[in-house]
């Protein structure tokens, strides 16, 4: 039954990515019509992220109460409703209200699906599934761009993506019976839900959670400020810099496709170390004052380095904390991830305002070093626990 569910899970991961990149792509068109400053996109992003954090922290309870299938179907449906809400919002405060279900719909399904895949599938599928999430983040802006080219509005673009989400949600509801068969629900209801503090008390959990926060902080900071660094520090025109910024995300997506094949030979912890080494190498390339091309290549190498880290940390979660605790642990990991991706890029923006955007590769490699040290500490704690037992 798990093999029959695999195509549905792949589709769900694409749908997870569809709305994630819409706001950034649509905002240049949205804010003049709404009559608000450009910076207000940060307010919407913060509300969405806070909703996702709350949803992630409650994913263990929701999944044990409803099951992975229902959580996935309901969450995608909630996201579809939020997208339609965005499409009919003529004022900024209305967008703020719809941003709440927008965020709440993302956290639980992300944690539930990641845990299900970590428990039931080989590590290569985790990499490929997150590659498909990247495909979703590419398709979303492409749909918006196509709508705008034919004379449509940003609201129409949101509506089209909302319709796609509705179709995916309907398919998920239609296939709920597949999740109910076999021992899937027995596994989900087998142990009590853990609180955040109980999760953090697990051996190696504190170091592991901050490791995940550091990774997401690096990825989101490089993604947000990478093109600005290439443009402002290396003196490249904005169009070329933007193309390098896009290549960073393409590097992550392609890298995850490649990582799936590498995962057939390497353990998840080895995949994480390969990614950390590539990420550090990319940062070093960006530091070298040898022209814009090397800095651009460095940003792409950073994307390739980011590729295996996220999915393989998730894949190793049942090994690190036990299968009975993995759902709760992944929920807390998702919350830490969104804390890192929400606040660290803003912190760098404030630092860059004082010291300049040339600080970017140094900021990124500093976090990368911290992530690597914490990852080693976590694995040593976990391996010591296994030997002791």
């Amino acid at each position: 039954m798990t093999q029959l569910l695999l195509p549905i899970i792949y589709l769900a991961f694409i749908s997870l990515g569809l709305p994630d990149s819409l706001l950034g792509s649509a905002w240049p068109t949205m804010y003049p019509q709404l009559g608000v400053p450009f910076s207000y996109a940060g307010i919407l992003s913060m509300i969405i992220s806070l909703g996702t954090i709350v949803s992630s922290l409650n994913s263990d309870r929701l999944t044990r109460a409803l099951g992975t299938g229902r959580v996935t179907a309901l969450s995608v449906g909630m996201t579809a409703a939020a997208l339609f809400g965005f499409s009919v919002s003529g004022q900024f405060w209305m967008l703020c209200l719809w941003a709440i279900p927008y965020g709440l719909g993302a956290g639980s399904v992300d944690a539930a699906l990641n845990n299900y895949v970590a428990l039931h599938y080989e590590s290569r599928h985790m990499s490929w599934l997150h590659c498909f999430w990247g495909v979703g983040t590419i398709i979303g802006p492409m749909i918006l761009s196509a709508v705008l080219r034919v004379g449509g509005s940003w609201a129409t673009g949101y509506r089209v993506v909302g319709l796609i989400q509705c179709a995916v949600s309907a398919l998920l509801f239609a296939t709920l019976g597949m999740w109910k068969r076999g021992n899937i629900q027995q596994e989900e209801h087998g142990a009590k839900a853990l609180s955040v503090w109980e999760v953090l008390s697990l051996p190696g959990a504190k170091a592991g959670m901050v490791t995940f926060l550091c990774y997401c902080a690096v990825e989101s900071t490089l993604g947000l400020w990478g093109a600005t660094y290439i443009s402002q520090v290396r003196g490249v025109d904005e169009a070329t810099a933007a193309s390098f910024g896009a290549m960073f995300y393409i590097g992550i997506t392609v890298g995850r496709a490649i990582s799936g094949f590498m995962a057939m030979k390497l353990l998840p912890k080895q995949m994480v170390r390969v990614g950390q080494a590539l990420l550090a190498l990319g940062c070093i390339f960006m530091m070298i004052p040898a022209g814009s091309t090397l800095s651009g290549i460095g940003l792409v190498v950073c994307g390739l380095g980011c590729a295996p880290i996220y999915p393989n940390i998730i894949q190793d979660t049942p090994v690190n904390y036990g299968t009975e605790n993995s759902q709760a642990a992944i929920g807390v990991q998702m919350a830490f991830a969104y804390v890192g991706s929400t606040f660290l890029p803003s912190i760098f923006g404030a630092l860059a305002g004082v010291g300049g955007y040339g600080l970017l590769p140094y900021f990124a490699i500093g976090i990368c070093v911290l992530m690597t040290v914490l990852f080693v500490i976590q694995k040593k704690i976990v391996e010591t626990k296994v030997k002791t037992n």
Side-chain angles (χ1 to χ4, degrees):
M1 190 56 60
T2 55
Q3 296 305 312
L4 293 175
L5 281 170
L6 192 56
I8 297 171
I9 295 173
Y10 271 97
L11 182 62
F13 265 83
I14 293 175
S15 77
L16 277 173
L18 280 174
D20 283 0
S21 52
L22 267 186
L23 181 60
S25 300
W27 190 247
T29 307
M30 293 170 67
Y31 84 93
Q33 297 180 21
L34 295 167
V36 297
F38 189 85
S39 61
Y40 274 34
I43 298 173
L44 287 176
S45 180
M46 189 78 71
I47 294 171
I48 293 169
S49 295
L50 289 174
T52 306
I53 291 169
V54 170
S55 181
S56 298
L57 291 175
N58 287 281
S59 66
D60 190 26
R61 294 180 180 83
L62 286 171
T63 304
R64 293 185 190 281
L66 302 174
T68 303
R70 284 197 183 91
V71 167
T72 303
L74 289 169
S75 296
V76 175
M78 186 183 297
T79 305
L83 292 170
F84 276 108
F86 263 55
S87 74
V88 298
S89 297
Q91 297 183 44
F92 182 75
W93 67 266
M94 298 170 70
L95 291 176
C96 291
L97 291 179
W98 283 110
I100 297 172
Y102 203 127
L104 290 174
S108 290
V109 63
D110 203 1
L113 282 178
N114 274 300
N115 181 61
Y116 185 80
V117 173
L119 289 175
H120 294 281
Y121 299 100
E122 296 171 328
S123 60
R124 67 177 186 269
H125 289 295
M126 185 69 81
S127 292
W128 288 335
L129 285 164
H130 282 275
C131 172
F132 272 65
W133 171 86
V135 171
T137 64
I138 295 170
I139 292 174
M142 287 175 65
I143 292 172
L144 179 68
S145 177
V147 169
L148 294 175
R149 280 200 185 98
V150 298
S153 66
W154 63 266
T156 305
Y158 267 92
R159 204 167 295 128
V160 171
V161 177
L163 284 171
I164 295 172
Q165 294 288 79
C166 283
V168 174
S169 180
L171 176 63
L172 290 166
F173 275 111
T175 55
L176 280 178
M178 297 173 66
W179 298 88
K180 296 177 182 178
R181 297 176 190 174
N183 60 354
I184 294 173
Q185 284 196 326
Q186 293 176 15
E187 293 171 358
E188 290 171 345
H189 296 286
K192 74 179 184 72
L194 300 181
S195 68
V196 175
W197 307 117
E198 287 173 325
V199 171
L200 292 176
S201 297
L202 296 171
K206 294 182 183 68
M209 299 304 165
V210 181
T211 297
F212 208 59
L213 183 152
C214 288
Y215 165 72
C216 293
V218 169
E219 180 192 309
S220 56
T221 302
L222 288 172
L224 181 61
W225 297 108
T228 302
Y229 173 84
I230 300 294
S231 174
Q232 298 293 321
V233 178
R234 298 304 179 200
V236 175
D237 64 273
E238 293 178 357
T240 304
S243 68
F244 277 120
M247 286 297 294
F248 171 74
Y249 285 107
I250 293 172
I252 294 177
T253 303
V254 173
R256 284 178 178 163
I258 297 170
S259 295
F261 294 101
M262 293 175 62
M264 297 178 187
K265 299 292 183 181
L266 300 177
L267 295 172
K269 67 178 182 180
Q270 294 171 321
M271 295 291 295
V272 172
R273 287 167 181 160
V274 169
Q276 290 168 339
L278 282 173
L279 181 56
L281 180 63
C283 290
I284 292 170
F285 282 171
M286 291 176 68
M287 292 176 189
I288 299 173
S292 59
T293 302
L294 187 60
S295 292
I297 291 171
L299 190 59
V300 175
V301 172
C302 284
L304 291 171
C306 286
I309 298 176
Y310 187 111
N312 283 283
I313 288 178
I314 294 292
Q315 182 68 31
D316 231 13
T317 301
V319 175
N320 291 332
Y321 310 118
T323 56
E324 72 280 6
N325 302 321
S326 62
Q327 180 64 73
I330 288 178
V332 176
Q333 282 177 328
M334 294 294 112
F336 270 75
Y338 277 93
V339 169
S341 61
T342 300
F343 295 105
L344 268 296
S346 300
I347 291 172
F348 173 77
L351 290 173
V354 177
Y357 291 102
L359 293 173
L360 179 62
Y362 301 94
F363 183 84
I365 202 169
I367 298 176
C368 182
V369 169
L370 176 60
M371 170 179 59
T372 303
V373 171
L374 289 171
F375 183 73
V376 171
I377 291 171
Q378 180 213 21
K379 296 308 292 184
K380 284 188 175 180
I381 292 172
V382 169
E383 288 166 4
T384 300
K385 179 194 72 172
V386 171
K387 288 178 182 178
T388 302
N389 291 341

